[in-house]
Amino acid sequence: MEYCYQPEIEKASREEIKNIQSERLVNIVKHVYENVPLYRERMDNIGIKPEDIKSVDDLNKLPFTSKQDLRDTYPYGMFAVPMENVARLHASSGTTGKQIVVGYTQKDLDNWGDIVARQLAAAGIEKSDKVHVAYGYGLFTGGLGIAEGARRLGCTSIPVSSGNTARQLTILEDFGSDAIACTPSYAMYLGESAEKAGIDTKKLPLRVGIFGAEPWTEEMRREIEKSLSIKAYDIYGLTEIMGPGVAYECSEQNGMHVNEDHFIIEILDPETHLPVKDGEKGEIVFTCLTKEAFPVIRFRTKDIGTITHEKCGCGRTFVRMSKPMGRIDDMLIIRGVNVFPSQIETVLLQMNLSPNYQIIVDRKGVLDTLEVQVEITEGIFSDTISDISRLEHELADRLKSTLGIAAKATFVAAGSIARSEGKAKRVIDRRNLD
Ligand code: DLL
């Protein structure tokens, strides 16, 4: 039996889950109304009192929370407990605008450990395993969040943090890590570096990877599984809600189960704000049910995804969310067409091209231009110049048929695109649209 697997809740009936959510929603609404001025004002403005919220069926009466609200109340305006009860602060890794500060009470940290432990258990990690944590430790929630889960599970965590790839490889080899947690782009880089260093990953004890914090495709999963000789699991989360562990993959690897005893997920049409049907794309919106220090209600994540209530082969009853298919704010509008970086990545990997790529958007006169630069891999390198130009044409054709707009495809030297130790930066937009 997997330790930290919690079938009494993970396999509860939908009715039981609804009851737990309803009870917790009533409490959390009271908590935010009493303690967070922004929520009290918003609810007063629309004439809603905490007593009006009796179950999850009343969720749609509540106001939304946006990232801008969190910026406007920076740093502590959304905290719902006195600072003396806050055990830890984290901050969003946002590169634009003011960062967002979030807080956790001791109980919040315990709950966080519990849900991350569920995820580690669902990926087959056991008490006797050593987990190499290569997410950044610090204000970013990745490192310490996974560490909370490892501690709760009772396994050994190795807090390597991010950076220094040669050292990461030495540790993987010498310490005998069984599992690794980092961003998928860094996992790709580690695999590539292991090969260069002549390390046979099949001979390492490493068998599981827990990857998330940025978009990645099924093709990338297969690459990572091959290069690191592991099984790779997806994990989703965000600073404003908790950090890693909001949703997790099970052995079926067919969507991520949302920890519904702690969070309610809604998928809403970004324009009408009404719920879409299972399987239909929309904006992912989360409500925290148990957070004491930083509970947010109907937080608009700007991530785009779908959910399904279909039965999962693992027996868990928690609703499953798809991999986020992009972000509303990552969506590039090029010559009026919506383009997501993930579409481009899928084309590259379907053609067995390098996953190291960059998207460059520019404007010549009034016309937007799109260029995809991708590194040459060894197989291509041995081809003649005319073969390379044939491949560039093929890539440009495929991009055009997938995206619906013309794109220039350019091969660049292997290793010339900057590698990231955390989240990869894929898009360079030179249009100065702001
Ligand atoms: O990335 C928390 C995290 C740490 C999740 C470690 C998983 C593992 P933020 O820095 O606030 O928090 O970024 C959150 O990253 O809104 C998504 O756009 C994206 N994201 C997170 N997980 C995934 C995933 C952490 N599995 C933002 N697939 C989210 C795709 C993801 N995108």
Side-chain angles (χ1 to χ4, degrees):
M1 172 57 86
E2 296 157 355
Y3 188 69
C4 268
Y5 169 45
Q6 301 167 15
E8 66 292 350
I9 175 68
E10 291 179 87
K11 284 186 172 179
S13 69
R14 291 304 307 169
E15 201 194 335
E16 282 172 277
I17 293 171
K18 186 173 175 187
N19 288 342
I20 293 172
Q21 289 190 327
S22 294
E23 193 188 316
R24 292 182 173 179
L25 181 67
V26 169
N27 291 335
I28 206 84
V29 169
K30 194 162 172 279
H31 180 51
V32 298
Y33 186 85
E34 284 168 3
N35 296 295
V36 183
L38 179 131
Y39 285 121
R40 189 164 48 249
E41 270 165 39
R42 291 254 161 105
M43 287 172 63
D44 284 348
N45 284 346
I46 51 172
I48 292 284
K49 291 269 169 265
E51 310 78 83
D52 298 326
I53 306 301
K54 298 191 173 68
S55 81
V56 286
D57 297 333
D58 297 318
L59 185 64
N60 62 5
K61 295 183 181 155
L62 291 166
F64 291 110
T65 314
S66 68
K67 193 140 184 155
Q68 192 56 44
D69 293 328
L70 307 189
R71 289 203 179 111
D72 293 345
T73 51
Y74 173 88
Y76 303 134
M78 299 286 283
F79 281 36
V81 296
M83 211 41 159
E84 66 199 51
N85 295 347
V86 176
R88 190 182 314 149
L89 299 177
H90 276 286
S92 70
S93 53
T95 45
T96 52
K98 233 187 239 173
Q99 61 179 356
I100 276 152
V101 182
V102 298
Y104 305 76
T105 63
Q106 199 59 54
K107 184 153 170 252
D108 293 333
L109 291 176
D110 289 345
N111 282 336
W112 193 10
D114 210 47
I115 59 172
V116 173
R118 273 182 204 167
Q119 123 98 51
L120 300 178
I125 297 174
E126 300 186 355
K127 246 181 123 148
S128 52
D129 286 330
K130 294 188 276 303
V131 182
H132 178 120
V133 188
Y135 283 117
Y137 275 64
L139 286 174
F140 176 53
T141 53
L144 283 161
I146 299 291
E148 287 292 339
R151 194 155 69 97
R152 169 72 180 87
L153 184 71
C155 57
T156 310
S157 62
I158 312 179
V160 194
S161 195
S162 55
N164 199 339
T165 304
R167 182 164 158 266
Q168 302 265 358
L169 290 176
T170 307
I171 291 172
L172 279 177
E173 272 194 303
D174 295 355
F175 294 14
S177 320
D178 303 284
I180 179 162
C182 60
T183 57
S185 54
Y186 192 57
M188 301 258 344
Y189 183 47
L190 272 177
E192 189 180 279
S193 308
E195 193 186 338
K196 269 199 202 129
I199 297 170
D200 182 357
T201 54
K202 284 194 218 69
K203 295 206 174 113
L204 300 179
L206 197 65
R207 55 166 220 282
V208 181
I210 309 289
F211 306 121
E214 64 180 2
W216 55 309
T217 55
E218 282 305 317
E219 288 81 6
M220 216 164 145
R221 178 180 346 236
R222 283 194 286 278
E223 287 272 329
I224 295 172
E225 290 190 332
K226 201 167 104 208
S227 71
L228 288 177
S229 311
I230 56 171
K231 188 156 175 171
Y233 289 85
D234 202 357
I235 177 173
Y236 170 87
L238 59 165
T239 316
E240 295 84 349
I241 301 301
M242 187 66 114
V246 173
Y248 59 104
E249 267 188 343
C250 62
S251 54
E252 299 290 309
Q253 298 194 302
N254 188 14
M256 293 180 272
H257 292 282
V258 176
N259 276 303
E260 284 188 284
D261 50 339
H262 294 279
F263 315 106
I264 300 178
I265 185 169
E266 295 173 273
I267 306 286
L268 303 183
D269 181 310
E271 268 148 41
T272 64
H273 302 163
L274 293 171
V276 298
K277 292 202 197 81
D278 267 24
E280 279 178 20
K281 273 192 220 166
E283 181 174 0
I284 304 177
V285 174
F286 279 108
T287 297
C288 298
L289 291 173
T290 54
K291 290 265 289 293
E292 293 180 333
F294 196 84
V296 285
I297 303 293
R298 304 193 85 197
F299 179 70
R300 296 187 58 176
T301 64
K302 296 197 171 173
D303 286 327
I304 299 164
T306 63
I307 49 170
T308 175
H309 286 84
E310 256 172 44
K311 254 190 154 158
C312 181
C314 74
R316 285 179 182 80
T317 46
F318 284 164
V319 67
R320 276 173 292 154
M321 61 175 268
S322 63
K323 269 179 183 302
M325 293 147 181
R327 288 181 55 78
I328 291 174
D329 49 4
D330 265 3
M331 186 176 78
L332 293 160
I333 305 180
I334 304 173
R335 278 172 257 148
V337 177
N338 298 347
V339 172
F340 287 100
S342 59
Q343 294 173 292
I344 295 174
E345 184 164 320
T346 303
V347 172
L348 297 179
L349 294 167
Q350 277 166 355
M351 285 180 68
N352 279 327
L353 298 175
S354 166
N356 295 309
Y357 69 97
Q358 211 150 43
I359 300 166
I360 296 161
V361 189
D362 210 340
R363 180 163 282 176
K364 301 246 156 64
V366 287
L367 200 67
D368 293 336
T369 58
L370 168 66
E371 178 181 355
V372 177
Q373 296 187 343
V374 55
E375 286 186 3
I376 286 186
T377 47
E378 240 167 57
I380 304 173
F381 194 58
S382 56
D383 292 348
T384 62
I385 301 276
S386 68
D387 284 338
I388 292 178
S389 111
R390 185 185 43 76
L391 258 183
E392 282 179 342
H393 276 112
E394 187 186 336
L395 174 57
D397 283 349
R398 291 221 202 177
L399 287 170
K400 186 165 184 199
S401 66
T402 305
L403 308 176
I405 50 161
K408 183 175 177 211
T410 314
F411 283 103
V412 295
S416 65
I417 292 177
R419 303 293 190 268
S420 145
E421 289 160 356
K423 304 191 190 214
K425 178 161 171 45
R426 301 293 193 193
V427 181
I428 299 176
D429 196 336
R430 297 193 179 127
R431 292 176 296 180
N432 297 326
L433 294 181
D434 295 337

